[in-house]
PDB file of all heavy atoms in Angstrom:
ATOM      1  N   LYS A 134     142.021 127.074  92.780  1.00  0.00           N
ATOM      2  CA  LYS A 134     143.206 126.352  93.266  1.00  0.00           C
ATOM      3  C   LYS A 134     143.105 124.858  92.965  1.00  0.00           C
ATOM      4  O   LYS A 134     144.100 124.216  92.612  1.00  0.00           O
ATOM      5  CB  LYS A 134     143.369 126.587  94.770  1.00  0.00           C
ATOM      6  CG  LYS A 134     143.678 128.027  95.142  1.00  0.00           C
ATOM      7  CD  LYS A 134     143.768 128.203  96.649  1.00  0.00           C
ATOM      8  CE  LYS A 134     144.048 129.654  97.020  1.00  0.00           C
ATOM      9  NZ  LYS A 134     144.071 129.856  98.495  1.00  0.00           N
ATOM     10  N   MET A 135     141.911 124.298  93.113  1.00  0.00           N
ATOM     11  CA  MET A 135     141.722 122.872  92.861  1.00  0.00           C
ATOM     12  C   MET A 135     141.924 122.530  91.389  1.00  0.00           C
ATOM     13  O   MET A 135     142.493 121.486  91.051  1.00  0.00           O
ATOM     14  CB  MET A 135     140.328 122.437  93.301  1.00  0.00           C
ATOM     15  CG  MET A 135     140.109 122.470  94.797  1.00  0.00           C
ATOM     16  SD  MET A 135     138.404 121.984  95.235  1.00  0.00           S
ATOM     17  CE  MET A 135     138.372 122.419  96.967  1.00  0.00           C
ATOM     18  N   LEU A 136     141.453 123.399  90.495  1.00  0.00           N
ATOM     19  CA  LEU A 136     141.669 123.170  89.067  1.00  0.00           C
ATOM     20  C   LEU A 136     143.149 123.273  88.727  1.00  0.00           C
ATOM     21  O   LEU A 136     143.673 122.512  87.917  1.00  0.00           O
ATOM     22  CB  LEU A 136     140.863 124.177  88.250  1.00  0.00           C
ATOM     23  CG  LEU A 136     139.344 123.959  88.222  1.00  0.00           C
ATOM     24  CD1 LEU A 136     138.640 125.191  87.675  1.00  0.00           C
ATOM     25  CD2 LEU A 136     138.983 122.737  87.379  1.00  0.00           C
ATOM     26  N   GLU A 137     143.820 124.221  89.375  1.00  0.00           N
ATOM     27  CA  GLU A 137     145.251 124.421  89.111  1.00  0.00           C
ATOM     28  C   GLU A 137     146.078 123.226  89.564  1.00  0.00           C
ATOM     29  O   GLU A 137     147.039 122.832  88.892  1.00  0.00           O
ATOM     30  CB  GLU A 137     145.731 125.684  89.816  1.00  0.00           C
ATOM     31  CG  GLU A 137     147.188 126.027  89.547  1.00  0.00           C
ATOM     32  CD  GLU A 137     147.591 127.333  90.185  1.00  0.00           C
ATOM     33  OE1 GLU A 137     147.011 127.704  91.229  1.00  0.00           O
ATOM     34  OE2 GLU A 137     148.481 128.006  89.638  1.00  0.00           O
ATOM     35  N   THR A 138     145.719 122.632  90.683  1.00  0.00           N
ATOM     36  CA  THR A 138     146.501 121.522  91.225  1.00  0.00           C
ATOM     37  C   THR A 138     146.021 120.159  90.727  1.00  0.00           C
ATOM     38  O   THR A 138     146.579 119.135  91.101  1.00  0.00           O
ATOM     39  CB  THR A 138     146.446 121.519  92.763  1.00  0.00           C
ATOM     40  OG1 THR A 138     145.084 121.455  93.200  1.00  0.00           O
ATOM     41  CG2 THR A 138     147.098 122.774  93.333  1.00  0.00           C
ATOM     42  N   GLY A 139     144.989 120.151  89.894  1.00  0.00           N
ATOM     43  CA  GLY A 139     144.538 118.888  89.326  1.00  0.00           C
ATOM     44  C   GLY A 139     143.620 118.078  90.209  1.00  0.00           C
ATOM     45  O   GLY A 139     143.410 116.888  89.954  1.00  0.00           O
ATOM     46  N   LYS A 140     143.040 118.681  91.249  1.00  0.00           N
ATOM     47  CA  LYS A 140     142.137 117.934  92.131  1.00  0.00           C
ATOM     48  C   LYS A 140     140.773 117.702  91.490  1.00  0.00           C
ATOM     49  O   LYS A 140     140.032 116.821  91.916  1.00  0.00           O
ATOM     50  CB  LYS A 140     141.954 118.681  93.455  1.00  0.00           C
ATOM     51  CG  LYS A 140     143.188 118.698  94.342  1.00  0.00           C
ATOM     52  CD  LYS A 140     142.893 119.382  95.666  1.00  0.00           C
ATOM     53  CE  LYS A 140     144.100 119.364  96.589  1.00  0.00           C
ATOM     54  NZ  LYS A 140     143.829 120.026  97.890  1.00  0.00           N
ATOM     55  N   LEU A 141     140.431 118.524  90.487  1.00  0.00           N
ATOM     56  CA  LEU A 141     139.134 118.416  89.832  1.00  0.00           C
ATOM     57  C   LEU A 141     139.284 118.111  88.354  1.00  0.00           C
ATOM     58  O   LEU A 141     140.178 118.637  87.689  1.00  0.00           O
ATOM     59  CB  LEU A 141     138.349 119.720  89.987  1.00  0.00           C
ATOM     60  CG  LEU A 141     138.043 120.217  91.406  1.00  0.00           C
ATOM     61  CD1 LEU A 141     137.340 121.563  91.337  1.00  0.00           C
ATOM     62  CD2 LEU A 141     137.199 119.203  92.165  1.00  0.00           C
ATOM     63  N   ASP A 142     138.380 117.271  87.830  1.00  0.00           N
ATOM     64  CA  ASP A 142     138.317 117.045  86.384  1.00  0.00           C
ATOM     65  C   ASP A 142     137.544 118.159  85.709  1.00  0.00           C
ATOM     66  O   ASP A 142     137.858 118.557  84.585  1.00  0.00           O
ATOM     67  CB  ASP A 142     137.649 115.696  86.093  1.00  0.00           C
ATOM     68  CG  ASP A 142     138.484 114.520  86.550  1.00  0.00           C
ATOM     69  OD1 ASP A 142     139.596 114.361  86.016  1.00  0.00           O
ATOM     70  OD2 ASP A 142     138.050 113.778  87.438  1.00  0.00           O
ATOM     71  N   CYS A 143     136.503 118.636  86.373  1.00  0.00           N
ATOM     72  CA  CYS A 143     135.696 119.728  85.841  1.00  0.00           C
ATOM     73  C   CYS A 143     134.984 120.399  87.006  1.00  0.00           C
ATOM     74  O   CYS A 143     134.948 119.864  88.116  1.00  0.00           O
ATOM     75  CB  CYS A 143     134.690 119.232  84.805  1.00  0.00           C
ATOM     76  SG  CYS A 143     133.500 118.023  85.436  1.00  0.00           S
ATOM     77  N   CYS A 144     134.427 121.580  86.756  1.00  0.00           N
ATOM     78  CA  CYS A 144     133.862 122.349  87.857  1.00  0.00           C
ATOM     79  C   CYS A 144     132.707 123.225  87.383  1.00  0.00           C
ATOM     80  O   CYS A 144     132.854 123.988  86.421  1.00  0.00           O
ATOM     81  CB  CYS A 144     134.952 123.220  88.478  1.00  0.00           C
ATOM     82  SG  CYS A 144     134.391 124.172  89.888  1.00  0.00           S
ATOM     83  N   PHE A 145     131.558 123.112  88.049  1.00  0.00           N
ATOM     84  CA  PHE A 145     130.444 124.028  87.825  1.00  0.00           C
ATOM     85  C   PHE A 145     130.718 125.288  88.631  1.00  0.00           C
ATOM     86  O   PHE A 145     130.775 125.249  89.864  1.00  0.00           O
ATOM     87  CB  PHE A 145     129.131 123.404  88.304  1.00  0.00           C
ATOM     88  CG  PHE A 145     128.658 122.232  87.505  1.00  0.00           C
ATOM     89  CD1 PHE A 145     129.093 120.951  87.821  1.00  0.00           C
ATOM     90  CD2 PHE A 145     127.773 122.401  86.453  1.00  0.00           C
ATOM     91  CE1 PHE A 145     128.642 119.857  87.104  1.00  0.00           C
ATOM     92  CE2 PHE A 145     127.315 121.309  85.731  1.00  0.00           C
ATOM     93  CZ  PHE A 145     127.758 120.035  86.054  1.00  0.00           C
TER      94      PHE A 145
END
Side-chain angles (χ1 to χ4, degrees):
K134 294 178 181 177
M135 292 178 190
L136 288 166
E137 183 176 29
T138 57
K140 290 184 178 180
L141 301 176
D142 293 297
C143 61
C144 182
F145 292 88

